[in-house]
């Protein structure tokens, strides 16, 4: 690929026209930039010269495109070998640069999977999110953690697979509660043979692959054999498993017969807003759905919105065998080729008109329409609350970004700071931030000092990354959990950083520390309160409760990690696998620190050189 940039002295249509002399008919990606070199738009083209030529002539451009052209000060071009490569590159650049005039997928979290591990003689079944690095069989994606948890619970009832960690497994001397309530077969204590446990693992994997009929037939045969052999207790247990499996199947909702593996993507637009519903079907089973609200201008064609969404959605995800759309793309085959190139196998992209697949699309469209209606209602309510907030605190206009801060610790230990963000779309969870308090010179429990550290780090970073406040990442209003002291401390550090113009309000519980009697503190103004039934007060309480929840959750996670830490975590060369081997061999981390060199060398998987490293690490430290 080659890249070329050229500076032209003119603007708008004339400036774009000036690039035509240097362009040929190659496929590629173009970027349109404003006078300050900020990317306005990223697009792909089968023929760069023809595509750019369309922008160089005034004509039937939508208001959005006409406005974008008028702001264009320069362009950049990347030529590619094929149009498919251009499409993949375009979507990667959109996700990276987030141009103002592109359709943007704002919520881009990963989806959880179910993992059946294969690194242990008795495989574990568990929830997994992120890179698939651990050895085992992965099944998913599921639409949410809740969908995974429900499926795991059902699988445990039917197949009795363990969900404990390997360390817990190795250190059990008697069955745990999961065995007592018939959620585990007790392999840790020899309650099931290796062969029988392996059979249940295969059955669980077959179920997740959609082969439920064969499993039921096998279980029914085993139950009949047990009954014929007068093994009534075993027959009753198998009967219970068959009943649980039947309940699982009946609770899975719409299970298509002809759609083994597909994502159904449906788009609904209204009033300049869009909702996209994605339903996940795997192994002929409905594994849940998730809604998205991409940023649009309102004058895009449905095919344009759908193409942008599909490209960005699969930029960092593996596509299924089939992608079923509610609206066709301008070039379905191009998108199918791009997804196939990413997946390394064939991917069908279809827009069905009849049959079962069309019914799946109709169901997804109904959900998209209902979700967007709820979203628009919530947005209208949110707009009224932001306007009321501006009036209550005498702000020049309704805030578009509110940042709420809080700290959490226990007598100074495991201290964390938390920031949540709210705006016209409600809470923006992908903008939440946590801060591990680093101040070594802080007095334990010094809330003022902790808040100063958090605010210093937050705004020093903003000043470095966006000094001109052009990206929308700067807050219009800060809500601080605390009274006059906290507000004064934060105002002091903000003034030192040169950002003292940002509005700030301290929220403190008033008389008797009761909710509804909050007092609000602002620099240079008298303390105030809101009516106990004021919707704005409830809005502030929700934001304060959310930052409390996030701060406490972050603190608990940090504390739990510290509790589970062992001296082995810091030994060079000792990863998770060797750590498990050492703990299984010696029984505890303390015993490892006291072990002699010969005993360390006897551990399976620990080489002589690593044994020497471990021995030297603990004995050099005394």
């Amino acid at each position: 690929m080659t890249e070329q940039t050229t500076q032209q002295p003119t603007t708008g249509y004339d400036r774009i026209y000036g690039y035509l002399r240097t362009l040929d008919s190659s496929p590629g990606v173009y970027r349109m930039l404003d006078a300050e070199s900020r990317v306005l738009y990223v697009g792909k083209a089968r023929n760069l010269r023809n595509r750019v030529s369309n922008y160089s002539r005034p004509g039937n451009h939508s208001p959005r495109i006409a406005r974008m052209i008028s702001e264009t000060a320069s362009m950049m071009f990347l030529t590619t070998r094929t149009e498919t490569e251009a499409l993949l590159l375009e979507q990667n650049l959109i996700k990276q640069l987030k141009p103002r005039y592109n359709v943007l997928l704002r919520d881009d979290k990963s989806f959880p999977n179910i993992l059946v591990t294969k690194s242990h003689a008795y495989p574990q079944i568990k929830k997994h999110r992120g890179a698939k690095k651990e050895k085992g069989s992965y099944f998913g994606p599921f639409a949410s953690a809740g969908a995974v948890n429900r499926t795991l619970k059902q699988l445990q009832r039917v197949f009795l697979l363990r969900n404990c960690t390997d360390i817990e497994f190795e250190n059990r001397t008697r069955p745990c509660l999961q065995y007592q309530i018939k959620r585990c077969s007790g392999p840790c204590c020899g309650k099931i043979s290796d062969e029988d446990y392996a059979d249940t693992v295969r059955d669980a994997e077959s179920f997740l692959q959609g082969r439920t009929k064969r499993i039921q037939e096998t279980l029914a045969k085993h139950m009949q054999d047990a009954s014929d052999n007068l093994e009534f207790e075993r027959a009753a247990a198998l009967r219970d498993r068959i009943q649980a499996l039947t309940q699982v199947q009946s609770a899975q909702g719409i299970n298509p017969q002809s759609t083994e593996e597909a994502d159904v993507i449906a788009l609904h637009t209204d009033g300049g807003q869009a909702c996209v519903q994605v339903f996940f079907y795997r192994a002929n089973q409905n594994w849940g759905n998730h809604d998205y609200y991409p940023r649009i201008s309102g004058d895009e064609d449905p095919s344009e919105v759908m193409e942008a969404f599909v490209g960005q959605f699969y930029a960092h995800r593996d596509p299924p065998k089939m992608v079923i759309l509610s609206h066709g793309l301008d070039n379905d085959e191009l998108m199918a080729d791009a997804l196939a190139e990413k997946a390394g196998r064939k991917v069908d992209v279809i827009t069905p008109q009849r049959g079962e697949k069309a019914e799946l699309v109709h169901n997804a469209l109904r959900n998209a329409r209902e979700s967007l209606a709820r979203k628009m209602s919530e947005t209208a309510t949110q707009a009224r609350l932001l306007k009321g907030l501006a009036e209550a605190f005498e702000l020049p206009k309704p805030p578009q970004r509110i940042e709420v801060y809080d700290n959490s610790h226990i007598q100074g230990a495991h201290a964390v700071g938390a920031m949540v963000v709210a705006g016209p779309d409600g809470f923006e969870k992908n903008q939440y931030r946590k801060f591990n308090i680093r101040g070594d010179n802080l007095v334990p429990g010094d809330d003022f000092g902790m808040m100063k550290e958090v605010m210093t780090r937050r705004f020093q970073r903003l000043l470095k990354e966006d000094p001109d406040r052009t990206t929308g990442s700067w807050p219009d209003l800060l809500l601080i959990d605390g009274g006059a002291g906290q507000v004064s401390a934060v105002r002091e550090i903000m003034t030192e950083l040169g950002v003292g113009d940002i509005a700030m309000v301290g929220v403190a519980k008033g008389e008797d520390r009761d909710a509804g009697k909050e007092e609000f503190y602002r620099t240079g103004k008298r303390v105030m309160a809101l009516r106990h039934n004021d919707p704005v007060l409830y809005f502030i309480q929700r934001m304060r409760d959310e930052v409390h929840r996030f701060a406490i959750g972050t603190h608990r996670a940090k504390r739990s990690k510290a509790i589970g830490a062992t001296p082995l975590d810091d030994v060079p060369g000792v990863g998770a696998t060797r750590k498990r081997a050492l703990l299984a061999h010696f029984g505890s981390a303390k015993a490892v620190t006291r072990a002699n060199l010969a005993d360390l060398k006897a551990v399976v998987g620990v080489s002589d050189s690593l044994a020497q490293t471990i021995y030297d690490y603990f004995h050099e430290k005394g």
Side-chain angles (χ1 to χ4, degrees):
M1 294 187 293
T2 60
E3 181 172 351
Q4 28 181 319
T5 62
T6 311
Q7 293 295 325
Q8 300 290 336
T10 50
T11 60
Y13 293 103
D14 292 334
R15 168 155 296 192
I16 294 172
Y17 182 80
Y19 286 100
L20 295 178
R21 296 191 304 271
T22 63
L23 293 175
D24 56 23
S25 58
S26 300
V29 173
Y30 57 93
R31 279 176 274 183
M32 308 178 84
L33 296 84
D34 65 10
E36 298 181 10
S37 297
R38 293 173 299 201
V39 180
L40 297 171
Y41 184 79
V42 174
K44 71 173 189 313
R46 178 185 303 174
N47 183 316
L48 278 172
R49 180 178 175 81
N50 289 349
R51 186 73 179 113
V52 174
S53 177
N54 292 335
Y55 291 118
S56 68
R57 299 186 299 270
N60 297 323
H61 297 300
S62 68
R64 174 177 65 100
I65 298 301
R67 190 165 58 250
M68 176 185 74
I69 292 172
S70 69
E71 295 179 25
T72 299
S74 61
M75 295 185 71
M76 299 179 67
F77 304 96
L78 286 163
T79 59
T80 60
R81 293 170 297 177
T82 64
E83 189 181 3
T84 300
E85 187 178 336
L87 174 59
L88 293 171
L89 178 59
E90 175 200 33
Q91 300 305 332
N92 285 333
L93 287 174
I94 290 173
K95 290 179 69 66
Q96 175 187 344
L97 301 172
K98 296 180 172 55
R100 187 193 319 167
Y101 287 100
N102 281 96
V103 175
L104 293 181
L105 172 58
R106 292 183 286 191
D107 181 7
D108 193 29
K109 70 174 185 179
S110 63
F111 290 103
N113 290 264
I114 286 178
L115 169 61
V116 180
T117 64
K118 294 297 175 65
S119 58
H120 194 280
Y122 293 95
Q124 170 195 11
I125 187 167
K126 63 180 181 179
K127 178 173 63 181
H128 177 87
R129 193 192 291 270
K132 299 177 180 179
K133 296 180 179 179
E134 191 170 351
K135 185 180 178 181
S137 300
Y138 292 85
F139 301 92
F142 287 80
S144 66
V148 171
N149 292 335
R150 286 191 297 272
T151 304
L152 284 174
K153 184 177 179 181
Q154 294 161 348
L155 287 171
Q156 283 181 267
R157 291 181 59 199
V158 177
F159 302 107
L160 311 182
L161 299 185
R162 72 179 183 94
N163 64 355
C164 58
T165 65
D166 291 348
I167 292 177
E168 291 173 327
F169 181 92
E170 300 296 343
N171 290 302
R172 295 299 307 181
T173 58
R174 58 181 181 177
C176 66
L177 180 62
Q178 292 293 312
Y179 175 80
Q180 305 297 336
I181 62 174
K182 297 182 181 180
R183 296 289 187 272
C184 179
S185 54
C188 57
C189 300
K191 299 296 184 180
I192 185 173
S193 67
D194 294 3
E195 295 79 8
D196 288 344
Y197 192 84
D199 287 342
T200 61
V201 171
R202 282 192 291 271
D203 286 344
E205 291 179 325
S206 295
F207 171 79
L208 289 167
Q209 292 164 355
R211 297 195 287 269
T212 56
K213 184 177 180 180
R214 183 183 64 79
I215 298 171
Q216 282 185 308
E217 291 173 350
T218 301
L219 290 175
K221 182 179 182 300
H222 290 333
M223 182 180 69
Q224 186 61 48
D225 291 343
S227 179
D228 292 344
N229 295 327
L230 305 182
E231 299 175 5
F232 299 119
E233 186 174 344
R234 180 167 177 265
L238 289 166
R239 178 203 61 204
D240 292 342
R241 290 176 62 186
I242 293 172
Q243 290 177 348
L245 183 58
T246 302
Q247 290 175 2
V248 170
Q249 291 171 303
S250 64
Q252 284 175 334
I254 301 173
N255 292 330
Q257 299 301 310
S258 63
T259 308
E260 178 186 358
E261 179 182 320
D263 288 347
V264 177
I265 303 177
L267 164 69
H268 179 74
T269 60
D270 186 16
Q273 298 188 51
C275 176
V276 178
Q277 280 279 347
V278 183
F279 278 74
F280 304 97
Y281 294 94
R282 299 295 185 272
N284 297 100
Q285 301 170 20
N286 179 3
W287 283 2
N289 64 297
H290 193 84
D291 51 358
Y292 294 88
Y293 301 91
R295 190 192 75 188
I296 65 172
S297 298
D299 56 5
E300 300 94 341
D301 291 331
S303 60
E304 180 183 354
V305 178
M306 184 64 83
E307 180 178 295
F309 178 86
V310 172
Q312 293 175 52
F313 185 75
Y314 293 113
H316 300 294
R317 295 186 178 94
D318 293 329
K321 295 177 182 178
M322 182 179 292
V323 178
I324 304 174
L325 306 178
S326 64
H327 295 77
L329 310 181
D330 290 338
N331 194 332
D332 291 342
E333 293 182 1
L334 175 63
M335 181 61 73
D337 290 343
L339 296 181
E341 184 172 317
K342 184 179 188 305
R345 53 173 166 73
K346 182 181 179 182
V347 176
D348 292 321
V349 178
I350 66 172
T351 308
Q353 302 302 316
R354 63 183 64 86
E356 183 184 69
K357 293 180 177 61
E359 291 179 9
L360 296 178
V361 169
H362 179 74
N363 176 60
L365 270 172
R366 186 180 69 253
N367 278 270
R369 184 170 58 252
E370 293 170 355
S371 295
L372 184 59
R374 288 192 297 270
K375 180 74 171 179
M376 292 176 71
S377 175
E378 293 168 0
T379 300
T381 301
Q382 190 77 359
R384 290 194 295 271
L385 290 172
L386 292 173
K387 182 179 179 181
L389 193 67
E391 293 172 353
F393 296 128
E394 301 173 357
L395 304 178
K397 61 180 181 179
Q400 298 301 295
R401 181 184 174 98
I402 305 169
E403 294 185 355
V404 194
Y405 292 87
D406 190 21
N407 299 323
S408 183
H409 60 90
I410 294 180
Q411 295 181 342
H414 311 304
V416 296
M419 177 190 85
V420 305
V421 178
D425 294 325
F427 290 113
E428 300 179 18
K429 296 191 176 182
N430 62 339
Q431 296 291 312
Y432 287 13
R433 296 292 180 268
K434 56 187 177 183
F435 303 83
N436 288 317
I437 304 297
R438 303 169 182 166
D440 296 329
N441 57 348
L442 287 177
V443 176
D446 181 4
D447 285 329
F448 290 180
M450 293 178 191
M451 187 59 71
K452 279 188 175 183
E453 178 180 330
V454 168
M455 304 305 289
T456 299
R457 287 164 55 188
R458 167 64 179 156
F459 285 94
Q460 280 181 342
R461 182 165 184 170
L462 275 179
L463 287 167
K464 179 181 178 181
E465 295 179 350
D466 184 22
D468 297 326
R469 307 189 187 186
T470 57
T471 64
S473 55
W474 282 78
D476 304 307
L477 174 66
L478 302 181
L479 288 182
I480 308 299
D481 186 47
Q486 279 88 347
V487 171
S488 177
V490 172
R491 177 60 68 192
E492 178 183 336
I493 195 64
M494 299 285 282
T495 303
E496 290 176 5
L497 293 171
V499 292
D501 58 311
I502 298 175
M504 181 188 312
V505 176
V507 184
K509 290 184 178 178
E511 184 181 352
D512 302 324
R513 299 186 62 80
D514 287 340
K517 297 182 180 180
E518 284 82 359
E519 295 178 341
F520 301 98
Y521 294 83
R522 296 172 292 170
T523 305
K525 297 185 179 181
R526 296 180 59 182
V527 63
M528 61 171 288
L530 296 173
R531 299 190 319 273
H532 73 279
N533 60 348
D534 192 330
V536 174
L537 176 59
Y538 298 146
F539 179 41
I540 294 172
Q541 289 172 346
R542 286 206 312 274
M543 290 190 286
R544 183 196 59 200
D545 292 344
E546 175 67 1
V547 77
H548 279 345
R549 180 199 65 79
F550 186 57
I552 292 171
T554 303
H555 166 72
R556 286 175 177 167
K558 184 177 182 181
R559 191 177 67 209
S560 297
K561 185 176 180 180
I563 291 172
T566 75
L568 300 176
D569 294 334
D570 299 323
V571 181
V574 176
T577 301
R578 291 190 176 93
K579 179 180 172 183
R580 285 196 297 269
L582 288 164
L583 291 173
H585 185 90
F586 291 102
S588 68
K590 189 173 183 180
V592 177
T593 66
R594 295 175 176 177
N596 59 43
L597 185 58
D599 289 338
L600 290 169
K601 290 180 179 180
V603 178
V604 176
V606 175
S607 64
D608 291 351
S609 60
L610 180 57
Q612 187 68 57
T613 298
I614 297 169
Y615 182 82
D616 291 343
Y617 179 85
F618 290 115
H619 287 76
E620 285 178 5
K621 296 181 75 171

